[in-house]
């Protein structure tokens, strides 16, 4: 079956670093995506990993280990505007579809 | 103009009514998708289409139907709406190259 797990909620302090983990089990694998979604808005693309290792993009980095079925999103120098839901999604072989985790609601406190 | 436009943005309808949600895109993408989002359940795939002649069911297609009128237009219909179809609905497009999606702004549907 297809399964993606990520924590439901996390809280962090402005200026700090936070790591959001994601584990997955899917039939086939064609990349792992992270999206950011503010309340009531559309998800927006943050990162894409298809090979093992770390991808860095400004304050955001994403890591993938395919052998462990594991990814994390690292957010540095947290800002209040980073308060949002972060969605982990896996692309699998059946026609470019993505399966999404339930999302991690991140609250950034002053 | 937005790359992916959904109409309406909000809709309240009564149980048993037929309703259509519309999606149009200017990305030129062949692949289009309809997802619904419920609190605690994440985004779940309803239907997807790879071109005008290719329509496929997703994991939760019961109670829904779709129409791909053109490459740029993909509509979702609820033939007889029921309260548990109350959700936030998203249309998305993809070029298939790296499977990244562009999402519309969503339609918040309430069935009373």
């Amino acid at each position: 079956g297809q399964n993606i797990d990520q924590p439901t909620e996390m809280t962090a302090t402005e200026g700090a670093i936070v790591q959001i983990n994601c584990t997955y089990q899917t039939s086939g694998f064609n990349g792992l995506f992270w999206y950011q979604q503010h309340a009531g808005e559309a998800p927006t693309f943050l990162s894409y990993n298809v090979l093992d290792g770390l991808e860095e993009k400004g304050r955001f980095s994403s890591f993938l280990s395919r052998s462990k079925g594991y990814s994390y999103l690292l957010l540095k120098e947290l800002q209040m505007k980073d308060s949002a839901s972060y969605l982990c999604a896996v692309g699998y072989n059946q026609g470019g579809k993505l399966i999404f985790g339930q999302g991690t609601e991140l609250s950034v406190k002053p | 103009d937005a790359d992916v436009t959904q109409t309406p943005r909000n809709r309240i309808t009564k149980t048993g009514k037929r309703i259509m949600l519309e999606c149009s895109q200017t990305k030129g993408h062949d692949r289009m998708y309809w997802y619904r989002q419920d609190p605690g359940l994440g985004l779940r795939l309803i239907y997807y289409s790879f071109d005008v002649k290719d329509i496929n069911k997703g994991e939760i297609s019961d109670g829904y139907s779709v129409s791909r009128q053109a490459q740029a237009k993909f509509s979702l219909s609820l033939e007889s709406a029921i309260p548990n179809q109350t959700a936030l609905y998203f249309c998305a497009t993809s070029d298939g190259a790296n499977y990244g999606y562009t999402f519309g702004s969503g339609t918040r549907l309430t069935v009373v």
Side-chain angles (χ1 to χ4, degrees):
Chain A
Q2 320 277 31
N3 191 53
I4 298 179
D5 287 317
Q6 50 181 131
T8 303
E9 297 178 326
M10 298 183 72
T11 301
T13 304
E14 191 176 15
I17 298 172
V18 70
Q19 178 174 311
I20 303 174
N21 296 323
C22 172
T23 58
Y24 63 89
Q25 289 180 307
T26 58
S27 56
F29 179 83
N30 272 310
L32 188 136
F33 296 78
W34 285 95
Y35 287 84
Q36 180 190 61
Q37 185 180 24
H38 286 99
E41 297 183 8
T44 55
F45 172 81
L46 286 179
S47 70
Y48 169 66
N49 294 69
V50 67
L51 300 176
D52 290 352
L54 188 68
E55 294 280 343
E56 297 185 81
K57 189 185 294 185
R59 293 190 298 115
F60 293 5
S61 302
S62 56
F63 172 84
L64 175 66
S65 169
R66 289 172 296 171
S67 62
K68 295 182 180 179
Y70 168 70
S71 173
Y72 67 73
L73 180 69
L74 192 70
L75 292 75
K76 303 176 184 177
E77 302 171 10
L78 280 172
Q79 302 174 9
M80 299 298 291
K81 67 178 182 180
D82 296 329
S83 292
S85 184
Y86 291 85
L87 312 180
C88 174
V90 174
Y92 56 107
N93 287 336
Q94 298 172 32
K97 296 181 289 184
L98 295 184
I99 181 169
F100 287 83
Q102 66 178 18
T104 298
E105 190 69 37
L106 174 66
S107 296
V108 180
K109 307 292 185 185
Chain B
D1 288 344
D3 292 328
V4 182
T5 302
Q6 289 184 236
T7 55
R9 289 296 309 274
N10 293 282
R11 180 74 181 266
I12 300 174
T13 192
K14 294 183 178 180
T15 298
K17 292 291 187 181
R18 183 180 188 276
I19 182 169
M20 178 182 289
L21 309 183
E22 299 189 349
C23 177
S24 62
Q25 53 117 344
T26 58
K27 300 284 289 185
H29 291 167
D30 288 326
R31 303 181 183 206
M32 299 187 74
Y33 309 81
W34 275 104
Y35 282 83
R36 66 176 279 176
Q37 188 173 38
D38 300 273
L41 294 178
L43 286 156
R44 293 181 291 164
L45 182 63
I46 306 172
Y47 270 94
Y48 62 102
S49 169
F50 289 164
D51 63 36
V52 174
K53 297 180 181 180
D54 183 64
I55 305 288
N56 303 279
K57 293 182 178 180
E59 58 180 307
I60 54 163
S61 59
D62 287 349
Y64 301 95
S65 62
V66 291
S67 173
R68 185 81 183 265
Q69 300 96 324
Q71 187 208 33
K73 295 183 181 295
F74 192 36
S75 300
L76 176 72
S77 293
L78 287 68
E79 297 301 325
S80 180
I82 56 177
N84 76 0
Q85 292 177 313
T86 293
L88 184 56
Y89 290 83
F90 286 105
C91 174
T93 72
S94 166
D95 62 2
N98 64 5
Y99 301 105
Y101 287 2
T102 300
F103 285 89
S105 298
T107 294
R108 185 169 296 281
L109 177 66
T110 304
V111 183
V112 297

PDB file of all heavy atoms in Angstrom, chain B residues 2-17:
ATOM      1  N   ALA B   2      -3.847  34.281 -12.913  1.00  0.00           N
ATOM      2  CA  ALA B   2      -3.255  33.101 -12.319  1.00  0.00           C
ATOM      3  C   ALA B   2      -3.036  32.042 -13.380  1.00  0.00           C
ATOM      4  O   ALA B   2      -3.751  31.962 -14.382  1.00  0.00           O
ATOM      5  CB  ALA B   2      -4.177  32.575 -11.228  1.00  0.00           C
ATOM      6  N   ASP B   3      -2.012  31.194 -13.172  1.00  0.00           N
ATOM      7  CA  ASP B   3      -1.731  30.107 -14.105  1.00  0.00           C
ATOM      8  C   ASP B   3      -2.834  29.066 -14.104  1.00  0.00           C
ATOM      9  O   ASP B   3      -3.141  28.469 -15.132  1.00  0.00           O
ATOM     10  CB  ASP B   3      -0.407  29.442 -13.730  1.00  0.00           C
ATOM     11  CG  ASP B   3       0.777  30.355 -13.962  1.00  0.00           C
ATOM     12  OD1 ASP B   3       0.735  31.169 -14.892  1.00  0.00           O
ATOM     13  OD2 ASP B   3       1.752  30.255 -13.190  1.00  0.00           O
ATOM     14  N   VAL B   4      -3.398  28.801 -12.907  1.00  0.00           N
ATOM     15  CA  VAL B   4      -4.467  27.814 -12.762  1.00  0.00           C
ATOM     16  C   VAL B   4      -5.608  28.510 -12.025  1.00  0.00           C
ATOM     17  O   VAL B   4      -5.424  28.964 -10.891  1.00  0.00           O
ATOM     18  CB  VAL B   4      -4.003  26.575 -11.980  1.00  0.00           C
ATOM     19  CG1 VAL B   4      -5.128  25.551 -11.896  1.00  0.00           C
ATOM     20  CG2 VAL B   4      -2.771  25.956 -12.651  1.00  0.00           C
ATOM     21  N   THR B   5      -6.757  28.602 -12.670  1.00  0.00           N
ATOM     22  CA  THR B   5      -7.906  29.341 -12.130  1.00  0.00           C
ATOM     23  C   THR B   5      -9.050  28.395 -11.832  1.00  0.00           C
ATOM     24  O   THR B   5      -9.444  27.601 -12.689  1.00  0.00           O
ATOM     25  CB  THR B   5      -8.385  30.405 -13.135  1.00  0.00           C
ATOM     26  OG1 THR B   5      -7.301  31.303 -13.425  1.00  0.00           O
ATOM     27  CG2 THR B   5      -9.545  31.203 -12.559  1.00  0.00           C
ATOM     28  N   GLN B   6      -9.554  28.492 -10.614  1.00  0.00           N
ATOM     29  CA  GLN B   6     -10.689  27.676 -10.221  1.00  0.00           C
ATOM     30  C   GLN B   6     -11.894  28.573  -9.942  1.00  0.00           C
ATOM     31  O   GLN B   6     -11.756  29.635  -9.330  1.00  0.00           O
ATOM     32  CB  GLN B   6     -10.373  26.884  -8.952  1.00  0.00           C
ATOM     33  CG  GLN B   6      -9.385  25.770  -9.152  1.00  0.00           C
ATOM     34  CD  GLN B   6      -9.187  24.956  -7.888  1.00  0.00           C
ATOM     35  OE1 GLN B   6      -8.075  24.803  -7.400  1.00  0.00           O
ATOM     36  NE2 GLN B   6     -10.271  24.412  -7.358  1.00  0.00           N
ATOM     37  N   THR B   7     -13.053  28.123 -10.391  1.00  0.00           N
ATOM     38  CA  THR B   7     -14.294  28.830 -10.080  1.00  0.00           C
ATOM     39  C   THR B   7     -15.368  27.819  -9.704  1.00  0.00           C
ATOM     40  O   THR B   7     -15.396  26.703 -10.255  1.00  0.00           O
ATOM     41  CB  THR B   7     -14.793  29.648 -11.289  1.00  0.00           C
ATOM     42  OG1 THR B   7     -14.933  28.776 -12.426  1.00  0.00           O
ATOM     43  CG2 THR B   7     -13.850  30.778 -11.629  1.00  0.00           C
ATOM     44  N   PRO B   8     -16.237  28.160  -8.738  1.00  0.00           N
ATOM     45  CA  PRO B   8     -16.183  29.348  -7.896  1.00  0.00           C
ATOM     46  C   PRO B   8     -15.137  29.208  -6.798  1.00  0.00           C
ATOM     47  O   PRO B   8     -14.572  28.133  -6.630  1.00  0.00           O
ATOM     48  CB  PRO B   8     -17.590  29.384  -7.298  1.00  0.00           C
ATOM     49  CG  PRO B   8     -17.963  27.945  -7.181  1.00  0.00           C
ATOM     50  CD  PRO B   8     -17.371  27.271  -8.391  1.00  0.00           C
ATOM     51  N   ARG B   9     -14.861  30.259  -6.046  1.00  0.00           N
ATOM     52  CA  ARG B   9     -13.933  30.175  -4.923  1.00  0.00           C
ATOM     53  C   ARG B   9     -14.622  29.598  -3.694  1.00  0.00           C
ATOM     54  O   ARG B   9     -14.002  28.876  -2.906  1.00  0.00           O
ATOM     55  CB  ARG B   9     -13.378  31.562  -4.577  1.00  0.00           C
ATOM     56  CG  ARG B   9     -12.397  32.112  -5.601  1.00  0.00           C
ATOM     57  CD  ARG B   9     -11.125  31.252  -5.700  1.00  0.00           C
ATOM     58  NE  ARG B   9     -10.503  30.975  -4.420  1.00  0.00           N
ATOM     59  CZ  ARG B   9      -9.645  31.774  -3.822  1.00  0.00           C
ATOM     60  NH1 ARG B   9      -9.305  32.914  -4.374  1.00  0.00           N
ATOM     61  NH2 ARG B   9      -9.115  31.429  -2.660  1.00  0.00           N
ATOM     62  N   ASN B  10     -15.878  29.930  -3.541  1.00  0.00           N
ATOM     63  CA  ASN B  10     -16.680  29.423  -2.430  1.00  0.00           C
ATOM     64  C   ASN B  10     -18.064  29.087  -2.940  1.00  0.00           C
ATOM     65  O   ASN B  10     -18.590  29.773  -3.810  1.00  0.00           O
ATOM     66  CB  ASN B  10     -16.815  30.472  -1.313  1.00  0.00           C
ATOM     67  CG  ASN B  10     -15.504  30.755  -0.625  1.00  0.00           C
ATOM     68  OD1 ASN B  10     -15.050  29.988   0.213  1.00  0.00           O
ATOM     69  ND2 ASN B  10     -14.874  31.865  -0.994  1.00  0.00           N
ATOM     70  N   ARG B  11     -18.628  28.009  -2.375  1.00  0.00           N
ATOM     71  CA  ARG B  11     -19.970  27.637  -2.801  1.00  0.00           C
ATOM     72  C   ARG B  11     -20.656  26.884  -1.665  1.00  0.00           C
ATOM     73  O   ARG B  11     -20.066  25.997  -1.052  1.00  0.00           O
ATOM     74  CB  ARG B  11     -19.909  26.754  -4.033  1.00  0.00           C
ATOM     75  CG  ARG B  11     -21.250  26.294  -4.587  1.00  0.00           C
ATOM     76  CD  ARG B  11     -21.989  27.411  -5.289  1.00  0.00           C
ATOM     77  NE  ARG B  11     -23.285  26.940  -5.788  1.00  0.00           N
ATOM     78  CZ  ARG B  11     -23.478  26.485  -7.018  1.00  0.00           C
ATOM     79  NH1 ARG B  11     -22.464  26.457  -7.878  1.00  0.00           N
ATOM     80  NH2 ARG B  11     -24.664  26.088  -7.384  1.00  0.00           N
ATOM     81  N   ILE B  12     -21.912  27.282  -1.414  1.00  0.00           N
ATOM     82  CA  ILE B  12     -22.748  26.542  -0.486  1.00  0.00           C
ATOM     83  C   ILE B  12     -23.894  25.964  -1.297  1.00  0.00           C
ATOM     84  O   ILE B  12     -24.561  26.694  -2.039  1.00  0.00           O
ATOM     85  CB  ILE B  12     -23.276  27.448   0.641  1.00  0.00           C
ATOM     86  CG1 ILE B  12     -22.110  28.040   1.424  1.00  0.00           C
ATOM     87  CG2 ILE B  12     -24.193  26.659   1.572  1.00  0.00           C
ATOM     88  CD1 ILE B  12     -22.529  29.070   2.469  1.00  0.00           C
ATOM     89  N   THR B  13     -24.120  24.675  -1.162  1.00  0.00           N
ATOM     90  CA  THR B  13     -25.181  24.039  -1.918  1.00  0.00           C
ATOM     91  C   THR B  13     -25.962  23.092  -1.018  1.00  0.00           C
ATOM     92  O   THR B  13     -25.490  22.724   0.064  1.00  0.00           O
ATOM     93  CB  THR B  13     -24.624  23.293  -3.139  1.00  0.00           C
ATOM     94  OG1 THR B  13     -25.687  22.918  -4.007  1.00  0.00           O
ATOM     95  CG2 THR B  13     -23.877  22.033  -2.712  1.00  0.00           C
ATOM     96  N   LYS B  14     -27.117  22.680  -1.486  1.00  0.00           N
ATOM     97  CA  LYS B  14     -27.963  21.812  -0.684  1.00  0.00           C
ATOM     98  C   LYS B  14     -27.777  20.347  -1.071  1.00  0.00           C
ATOM     99  O   LYS B  14     -27.413  20.037  -2.215  1.00  0.00           O
ATOM    100  CB  LYS B  14     -29.432  22.205  -0.847  1.00  0.00           C
ATOM    101  CG  LYS B  14     -29.761  23.569  -0.284  1.00  0.00           C
ATOM    102  CD  LYS B  14     -31.250  23.860  -0.415  1.00  0.00           C
ATOM    103  CE  LYS B  14     -31.584  25.215   0.206  1.00  0.00           C
ATOM    104  NZ  LYS B  14     -33.040  25.525   0.100  1.00  0.00           N
ATOM    105  N   THR B  15     -28.020  19.488  -0.133  1.00  0.00           N
ATOM    106  CA  THR B  15     -27.958  18.045  -0.380  1.00  0.00           C
ATOM    107  C   THR B  15     -28.846  17.679  -1.560  1.00  0.00           C
ATOM    108  O   THR B  15     -29.983  18.137  -1.656  1.00  0.00           O
ATOM    109  CB  THR B  15     -28.394  17.275   0.867  1.00  0.00           C
ATOM    110  OG1 THR B  15     -27.483  17.579   1.939  1.00  0.00           O
ATOM    111  CG2 THR B  15     -28.394  15.783   0.621  1.00  0.00           C
ATOM    112  N   GLY B  16     -28.275  16.863  -2.469  1.00  0.00           N
ATOM    113  CA  GLY B  16     -29.031  16.408  -3.629  1.00  0.00           C
ATOM    114  C   GLY B  16     -28.867  17.254  -4.871  1.00  0.00           C
ATOM    115  O   GLY B  16     -29.236  16.824  -5.969  1.00  0.00           O
ATOM    116  N   LYS B  17     -28.290  18.423  -4.726  1.00  0.00           N
ATOM    117  CA  LYS B  17     -28.099  19.301  -5.885  1.00  0.00           C
ATOM    118  C   LYS B  17     -26.894  18.861  -6.706  1.00  0.00           C
ATOM    119  O   LYS B  17     -25.933  18.290  -6.176  1.00  0.00           O
ATOM    120  CB  LYS B  17     -27.902  20.744  -5.439  1.00  0.00           C
ATOM    121  CG  LYS B  17     -29.138  21.379  -4.824  1.00  0.00           C
ATOM    122  CD  LYS B  17     -30.209  21.587  -5.859  1.00  0.00           C
ATOM    123  CE  LYS B  17     -31.377  22.376  -5.275  1.00  0.00           C
ATOM    124  NZ  LYS B  17     -32.461  22.576  -6.278  1.00  0.00           N
TER     125      LYS B  17
END
